[in-house]
Amino acid sequence: MIMKNERRDFLKTAAIISLGTATHISKAGNLLAVEGVTSAFELPPLGYAFDALEPYIDAQTMQIHHDKHHLAYVTKLNEAIEKEPSLKGKTLEELIKNINGTPESVRGAIRNHGGGHWNHSMFWQLLKKDTKPQEKTLAAINANFDSMENFKKEFEKSAMGVFGSGWAWVVVNNGKLSIINTPNQDNPLMDIATKQGKPILAIDVWEHAYYLKYQNKRAEYVSNFWNVLNWDKVETLVKG
Ligand SMILES: [Fe+2]
């Protein structure tokens, strides 16, 4: 359940941002409009109900994950850009693809919060119950991993191999699929990633993504992920 005050603040934030004014949320939760700023990144809507992924991902986790964690990445990304005017007007992808070239004073903030915003914006779209792998996805998985069973095994192994917080991904490079993982909020689009590529599938293995329901049982969360993976979305990314 969203508490009344939180809902009010969220709506207020959304309203102010939609008017084209960047906002900050202070530690006390008060909104401060920043004069002279005409654009800021926004928290995208989840696109479905918090309980839409039950019983595999619980409503409370989804609400906190989207309304608190993702919002914090967006807010802190906007704060970092405020500190470094040369970054204003850049797209999110332009920002995260050039971490090495980002002024040092905000490099860590852009990496963590820009990455956090990009990763979660993609992740919400990758979640939907009751979808099945489609033609192009199946062909690509069979060609690269021999079978769906083997692919799932390799992906789960990668997700389990993330030490601490991070993500496991499937990326495409010149038609070839690979499974990789990244620490924290890094992603395969970043110039600092050890392996780059276009992400087509991802799982968030930060504890905030599963701890309320699964506690320390990451393996159970990861194996249940197949019940909520939006294969329809994966198909559009494989094709693209
Ligand atoms: Fe997350």
Side-chain angles (χ1 to χ4, degrees):
M1 287 293 290
I2 302 175
M3 302 302 287
K4 266 187 183 171
N5 286 349
E6 292 165 7
R7 182 76 184 155
R8 187 194 62 209
D9 284 349
F10 174 75
L11 291 172
K12 203 169 160 191
T13 306
I16 291 174
I17 289 174
S18 70
L19 287 171
T21 306
T23 58
H24 292 257
I25 298 176
S26 72
K27 281 179 184 163
N30 298 320
L31 287 163
L32 305 168
V34 180
E35 285 183 16
V37 177
T38 54
S39 66
F41 290 104
E42 298 174 34
L43 178 68
L46 185 60
Y48 41 82
F50 294 128
D51 65 359
L53 307 171
E54 292 269 13
Y56 307 109
I57 303 180
D58 60 289
Q60 191 184 14
T61 294
M62 289 303 293
Q63 189 239 311
I64 296 170
H65 202 171
H66 179 267
D67 288 5
K68 302 289 188 186
H69 291 282
H70 192 171
L71 178 62
Y73 295 123
V74 173
T75 304
K76 288 174 182 169
L77 172 63
N78 287 332
E79 286 175 356
I81 293 168
E82 276 304 297
K83 287 183 196 152
E84 186 48 68
S86 67
L87 299 179
K88 283 185 188 172
K90 292 191 186 297
T91 66
L92 183 56
E93 290 201 358
E94 285 169 343
L95 290 171
I96 64 173
K97 282 178 177 174
N98 186 31
I99 300 297
N100 280 325
T102 303
E104 204 176 338
S105 60
V106 294
R107 191 178 298 154
I110 298 295
R111 178 178 181 174
N112 293 329
H113 305 304
H117 181 27
W118 196 96
N119 296 349
H120 288 87
S121 298
M122 176 171 184
F123 189 53
W124 309 136
Q125 297 177 54
L126 284 169
L127 299 176
K128 188 181 181 185
K129 280 202 297 192
D130 302 324
T131 64
K132 287 194 169 69
Q134 295 173 26
E135 192 185 344
K136 292 251 193 281
T137 304
L138 278 173
I141 284 176
N142 287 330
N144 287 276
F145 302 100
D146 297 330
S147 67
M148 178 60 78
E149 190 189 356
N150 192 47
F151 162 70
K152 286 185 174 177
K153 204 167 82 184
E154 292 294 315
F155 186 76
E156 289 184 25
K157 193 170 136 195
S158 180
M160 291 305 295
V162 176
F163 180 73
S165 301
W167 295 73
W169 308 85
V170 179
V171 297
V172 61
N173 261 320
N174 300 322
K176 183 171 168 33
L177 303 189
S178 322
I179 296 170
I180 59 174
N181 59 46
T182 56
N184 304 312
Q185 295 297 354
D186 287 0
N187 77 34
L189 294 175
M190 290 180 174
D191 53 351
I192 51 169
T194 49
K195 189 158 188 181
Q196 292 171 308
K198 183 191 128 189
I200 61 164
L201 197 161
I203 183 170
D204 183 346
V205 290
W206 281 60
E207 285 186 344
H208 68 221
Y210 65 87
Y211 205 85
L212 286 179
K213 181 176 176 66
Y214 295 96
Q215 292 83 48
N216 61 328
K217 298 181 287 269
R218 183 191 286 185
E220 206 176 303
Y221 161 69
V222 171
S223 65
N224 270 337
F225 173 69
W226 304 115
N227 295 306
V228 293
L229 174 60
N230 183 355
W231 287 107
D232 299 342
K233 181 65 184 176
V234 175
E235 181 79 359
T236 65
L237 294 169
V238 168
K239 280 182 185 171

